[in-house]
Structures are given as C-alpha cells and as structure tokens.
Amino acid sequence: MIELQGICKSFPGVKSLDQVNFSARAGEIHALLGENGAGKSTLIKVLAGAYTPDSGMITFASVPRVWASPRQAQQAGIHVIYQELVLFPDLSVAENIFIGHAPRTRWGLIDRKAMIRKTESALAQLGHRLDPRARVGDLSVADQQMVEIAKALNHDVKLLVLDEPTAVISGKEVVALFERLRRLRDRGVCIIYISHRLEEIFALADRITILKDGKNVRAGSVKEFDRASLVTAMVGRPLADLYPPRPPALPAAPVVLAVCDLQALPRVKRVDLEVRAGEILGLAGMVGSGRTEVAHAIFGSQPRQKGSVTLAGQDVPPASPAESIRRGIGFMTEDRKGEGLLAQLPVYANMTAPDLARYTRLGFLQRPREVALATRDIQRFRIAVPGPTSGVWHLSGGNQQKILLSRWMAIRPKLLILDEPTRGVDVGAKAEIYRLIRALAAEGVAVLMISSELPEIIGLCDRVLVMKEGRVMGALAAETLSEEAIMTLATADAPARGEAA
C-alpha cells in the first residue's frame, strides 16, 4: 500500500530522517515505534504530505507520488488521526464528518437528511452508535475518536494513521477501539499505529518498524519480538535497566499520609490507606475503580463526604488544594495538558506556579529568582529544553512530565501524588522518570502513585493497594507483586480478609 525508500529530512541543525525505509501493506496493522525524537512524527508528516522530503521516494498504491499538500494525500486515501483530535466541538457529529464536502440538494443547499443518513452508515461500519445530531463537544474522548475514524471512512480511506490513540482512553474504550481497527484491517485498510504502550503492540499489530535517531533499527513480524527485544531496540539498553533497583526493606518509617474511611461519592465509597516516608505506594485497579478520585479527594480538588486525611499527624481540610499545597502535598495530574501545564507560559513560570509567594517581594514577582530555580532544575531533572524562558507546549511528553515533577519538588513536599506519571511518554523518558521518582523516595518523600500500566506498578512500587468500585480490595507487598495477583484482586467479589471494605 505504502512504501518509502531512502527518505531524508533535515531541519536547521537537525537531521530528523536519515535514509529511512518503511513499508506497510493493505489489510495489516503496522506499528511504528521509537522514542520521542526518533523520527516517527516526521516520517508520518512526510507520508501524509505535510512535509516534503529532501530526498527519497514515496510509492502509494503502486504509484510514485510527490505530495503537494496534505489535502492531496487525503484525497488519495491517506488519513491521519493525531493525538490531539481535530474536531469542531460546537458542531454536530454529522457536520464534523462532512465539513467541507456536505451533500447538496439540487438547489445547492446542504442536504441534512442525506448527511445524517450517511453519518449513520459510516458509524455502522465501525459498529458504533452515535446520534449524528449530537454536539461533538458533549461526547466522550472515545466517541470523538470514532467521529475522526468515521470522517476518514467518509473519504474512502486506504491508509489510516493513528498517533497515540489510547493516551486519553483506557479499559473498555481501548477494547472497543481495537475491535474496530481489526474490522477496518479485515476490510483491507492499511493501518499504521503509533504507541508507547508495548502491551498494545503485541495485542494489535501484525508487523513492527522501529526507528532511533532518525534511522531504521529493526523491522519484522510482531512474532519476531518480545517485550525485552522491543525495549532494547528502541532505547539501546536492556529491559532490566528500565526500573531502578528497589532498596532493601528498612525498619518502619514514620507515617506521612493517613487516610481513614474516605468517602467521595459517587466513585469513592470507603478507603483506608497509609503512606510512609520514603515509600512508593501504588494504587491499582480497573478504569472506574475510583483511583483518580481518591487522589483528588486527598488533595482537596474533589469534595469528600466522609473520612479524615492527615499529613504528618495534622488534619488536611477538605476541598482546599491551596491548603494542601501549603502543608506539603504535591499532585501531578493525569491530564498534563488540560489540568497540569500552563500552555501559554514559559518553563520557569510552570515550575514556580504552586508557590509564587516564595518568589514575590513587595507584591512583585522576582523573575530572576524564578529563572534561577528553573535553570537549576533543568539540569537536575535533565530536561531537554533550550532554556528557562522557552515555551512548554512543543516539548515531548517526557520533558513536560519532568517539568511538572520539578514544579512539585519546588514546594519541598512531604507527599507527592502521581496520577499516570508516564502517560504518553516514550520508553527512554519513562526510565528517566522512574529514576527521579525513586530518587525522591530516597530523600524521604512519601509517594502515592496511580498507574494503569501494571509492569510500571510492579517495577517501581514498594507496596500496592488494589481498588474496585470505590473500595480497597487488598494489599500486596513488593515480593508478592505480579500482574495475576493484581488482577485477581481487581476483579474479586469481596475485599481480601483484613482489608478495608
């Protein structure tokens, strides 16, 4: 379906693609893998007509091509669904799918009945039901993705590219997405799938191509790889080096966070937990189990109806994030773009945001002090950014996460809550973030970590609580951690004996 030979693409000071070869067949799901900066995005933009290669050849449907624009590539049957969906939230599902080419009546007016009928047909091909008249801004992210895919089908798509499609969905939504992608594959559509979640690759892909530093590393059938060989090819070091060593068990440290009989309806019904100084406590469970809501209730960004939260023996008042920060609680949200980063502000302002009083004198912010802190933390956290006055929006997911980590470390926290700390982050950056988290714990910070990636929970946490339907179902010590043990508790009918119900 698509073949790229000897593709080179350079930008000022950077050679993004260096003699890259790539091919994907009709009726297959082809995974394109690599760390951030490996050249994946540049290759996709060359393939889709957004970039013109400096050299090399593109062959699509057996015909040599030189795309003049992304529109020309789209008209040929190539459609890219980026991680940031390109939809109009105030328009309906049907209007989004047919924007720019709506069916017309013989009088030249938009034929809304035909548009709704064709929208229903496109969604039916995906096995998905949506009201064509529904406002897109009111839909879930999973439903919005289906609208994007239906839009592609409406263009007679031959090649569909998905960039990190599961970064903002999980659980049943991921299962549904995979079923629909397999259905498209079986219809002969060529699908290129980009993801940092390696378990998805083995569940979905037929073949794999790996890039590193703008060059081909390895390609082949998914059956030729295992998790260890994938990681080694992508980052150049073994899987065993991904997680920092867990320190030996020490005598019980002081309790930093104590949560008793916490209730934050509708998701959190009853939760007890403790986190000690220097401990990384994992919070696992299926989507909808209440993990994130527990974090918000502790931090005060969600009201709690019942229960107590104490930090170092002192009560933390409900619904008061500012007071939580003042007392020494940091919270890195799972939604770094929607709730974490200050997109229009530079790096230094993102780092100092929680504690501006520290950088204020006589009512005025002292920018040199903010910049000095940012300069120090850029080096400390190994953040790849031109400088403290640079913007944050264009940075890789890993570097954005490091900025948020440095933000909360600046308040010298007693407790750091991390919700999906490596979401949308490549394998190499994950290893760096894991190192930072373990280093923070070694300094005595209590860490409460939520993650949907079980290998991450197992590799990093000292102890794990497993939740289901707003309750803690059981606890697992480091030596008993396994995916099977976690899933057994996550799907149990009743809490394990001795645990909170």
Side-chain angles (χ1 to χ4, degrees):
M1 178 61 69
I2 185 81
E3 184 175 9
L4 292 87
Q5 296 177 302
I7 299 295
C8 294
K9 181 64 180 177
S10 296
F11 300 94
V14 179
K15 191 163 191 175
S16 293
L17 298 174
D18 187 2
Q19 294 292 327
V20 170
N21 299 317
F22 176 83
S23 65
R25 305 163 185 159
E28 80 166 357
I29 298 176
H30 195 120
L32 180 60
L33 305 181
E35 297 182 87
N36 288 331
K40 305 187 301 296
S41 295
T42 304
L43 187 67
I44 291 305
K45 288 177 180 178
V46 167
L47 176 153
Y51 290 157
T52 300
D54 300 331
S55 60
M57 178 179 293
I58 301 173
T59 303
F60 181 66
S62 303
V63 178
R65 304 279 190 163
V66 179
W67 305 123
S69 67
R71 183 174 181 83
Q72 190 179 69
Q74 191 175 81
Q75 289 171 340
I78 297 175
H79 196 95
V80 181
I81 298 178
Y82 294 100
Q83 186 174 343
E84 305 297 327
L85 301 177
V86 185
L87 295 170
F88 295 89
D90 291 324
L91 298 183
S92 71
V93 170
E95 288 166 337
N96 269 275
I97 289 174
F98 282 93
I99 195 162
H101 56 95
R104 301 277 176 173
T105 66
R106 60 180 178 175
W107 296 284
L109 301 175
I110 292 176
D111 190 339
R112 296 196 175 275
K113 289 184 179 179
M115 188 164 66
I116 289 171
R117 187 174 62 251
K118 290 181 179 181
T119 296
E120 290 173 336
S121 175
L123 291 168
Q125 292 181 54
L126 295 168
H128 200 70
R129 289 188 177 182
L130 278 178
D131 182 357
R133 304 169 187 81
R135 179 178 173 273
V136 162
D138 296 331
L139 301 179
S140 69
V141 175
D143 284 341
Q144 290 180 10
Q145 281 187 331
M146 289 302 109
V147 174
E148 277 277 25
I149 295 174
K151 187 198 299 186
L153 294 179
N154 190 50
H155 284 278
D156 188 27
V157 64
K158 297 181 176 67
L159 171 60
L160 179 65
V161 183
L162 296 103
D163 186 4
E164 293 288 348
T166 62
V168 289
I169 63 173
S170 53
K172 293 179 181 179
E173 294 173 335
V174 174
V175 172
L177 173 65
F178 285 7
E179 288 176 354
R180 282 145 196 162
L181 293 181
R182 293 187 185 104
R183 188 175 300 179
L184 290 175
R185 175 193 61 189
D186 295 343
R187 287 176 45 201
V189 175
C190 175
I191 298 172
I192 298 175
Y193 190 88
I194 301 172
S195 178
H196 295 309
R197 296 182 174 182
L198 301 188
E199 66 275 11
E200 295 179 359
I201 304 305
F202 293 105
L204 190 65
D206 301 303
R207 288 200 299 145
I208 296 172
T209 293
I210 301 172
L211 301 181
K212 183 174 175 59
D213 299 328
K215 299 179 181 179
N216 289 103
V217 174
R218 189 177 169 188
S221 167
V222 70
K223 296 177 182 177
E224 299 173 22
F225 295 86
D226 58 20
R227 185 179 176 88
S229 61
L230 269 185
V231 171
T232 300
M234 290 168 63
V235 305
R237 59 179 180 269
L239 177 62
D241 295 342
L242 190 59
Y243 299 101
R246 187 181 281 112
L250 297 174
V255 173
V256 173
L257 173 71
V259 175
C260 182
D261 200 22
L262 179 66
Q263 186 179 92
L265 297 175
R267 286 289 178 84
V268 182
K269 297 171 183 175
R270 183 182 175 188
V271 170
D272 297 334
L273 63 83
E274 289 183 346
V275 192
R276 297 180 178 273
E279 179 184 34
I280 302 175
L281 176 67
L283 206 55
M286 307 290 280
V287 172
S289 62
R291 301 168 305 170
T292 292
E293 289 79 7
V294 166
H296 280 284
I298 292 171
F299 187 62
S301 47
Q302 177 173 325
R304 56 182 192 256
Q305 286 77 42
K306 187 180 178 183
S308 64
V309 175
T310 61
L311 187 74
Q314 294 187 332
D315 287 337
V316 177
S320 180
E323 182 63 20
S324 295
I325 292 170
R326 191 185 70 79
R327 290 173 182 264
I329 300 178
F331 180 23
M332 195 164 83
T333 173
E334 64 176 338
D335 183 4
R336 65 171 172 265
K337 292 187 176 179
E339 299 177 350
L341 292 170
L342 304 171
Q344 305 303 318
L345 297 182
V347 170
Y348 73 82
N350 272 272
M351 290 179 170
T352 60
D355 190 16
L356 292 178
R358 180 180 169 192
Y359 307 95
T360 301
R361 185 179 180 187
L362 300 177
F364 293 94
L365 278 171
Q366 305 296 298
R367 178 180 290 187
R369 295 179 63 193
E370 292 184 276
V371 170
L373 173 122
T375 301
R376 183 200 71 189
D377 279 2
I378 286 170
Q379 296 178 342
R380 178 187 179 191
F381 291 92
R382 303 179 190 176
I383 302 171
V385 62
T389 60
S390 300
V392 297
W393 202 246
H394 68 284
L395 299 178
S396 70
N399 285 307
Q400 289 176 345
Q401 290 294 78
K402 290 179 186 179
I403 287 172
L404 293 179
L405 268 175
S406 71
R407 164 193 291 179
W408 293 114
M409 286 311 299
I411 71 167
R412 303 182 184 91
K414 298 181 180 73
L415 169 70
L416 181 58
I417 303 172
L418 304 172
D419 193 357
E420 303 289 0
T422 63
R423 172 168 285 173
V425 171
D426 68 59
V427 176
K430 283 183 178 181
E432 278 290 295
I433 291 171
Y434 297 152
R435 179 189 64 80
L436 291 171
I437 294 171
R438 179 53 71 185
L440 298 178
E443 294 175 7
V445 177
V447 178
L448 176 62
M449 189 179 90
I450 300 165
S451 178
S452 299
E453 297 191 36
L454 295 187
E456 183 169 274
I457 286 281
I458 294 165
L460 199 60
C461 295
D462 302 307
R463 191 165 53 92
V464 174
L465 301 184
V466 183
M467 290 187 63
K468 179 186 177 183
E469 297 177 355
R471 292 179 170 87
V472 174
M473 304 302 288
L476 296 167
E479 58 271 16
T480 62
L481 281 177
S482 69
E483 293 194 23
E484 293 77 12
I486 292 173
M487 290 307 298
T488 297
L489 288 173
T491 56
D493 292 330
R497 183 173 298 176
E499 297 299 335

